Amino acid sequence: MSGAVLNSINTRLDARTVSVLLRHSGSKLILVDPALLPVLHDALRLLPPGHPAPRIVLVEDPPREGVPSGASGGSAYERLLETGPEQSQDTTA
């Protein structure tokens, strides 16, 4: 519905391969699980100088029972959805 192209990246790939995929796809937004941030940060460092870095949005697991809502600061993905279309128009991939 957003007119964006979704490109899933295999989580077993190394940082160099992820960097190549990001460069060739022209990604502007990356939805990422916090556990995969180290590989993503390494991949972003390997992008060529001057290549625009995509916006990173953390997608955390849903809250567990017994843990107060927002105890971990909430999901960046959920906050992105709450901001509405005017804030996220420049983040389409």
Side-chain angles (χ1 to χ4, degrees):
M1 294 185 329
S2 69
V5 175
L6 295 177
N7 178 19
S8 62
I9 296 177
N10 188 323
T11 58
R12 295 174 293 195
L13 296 174
D14 63 354
R16 182 180 170 275
T17 305
V18 172
S19 181
V20 169
L21 291 171
L22 293 175
R23 187 175 71 239
H24 286 284
S25 68
S27 295
K28 296 178 184 171
L29 177 70
I30 300 174
L31 304 175
V32 64
D33 184 283
L36 302 172
L37 278 175
V39 172
L40 178 61
H41 286 300
D42 289 344
L44 293 175
R45 280 192 287 275
L46 294 171
L47 289 173
H51 189 279
R55 180 176 175 188
I56 299 172
V57 177
L58 295 177
V59 181
E60 299 171 345
D61 289 332
R64 295 172 296 182
E65 285 187 35
V67 177
S69 178
S72 66
S75 169
Y77 174 72
E78 294 298 328
R79 288 192 300 274
L80 176 68
L81 293 179
E82 290 172 359
T83 61
E86 65 279 350
Q87 295 294 329
S88 60
Q89 284 180 347
D90 63 333
T91 60
T92 57

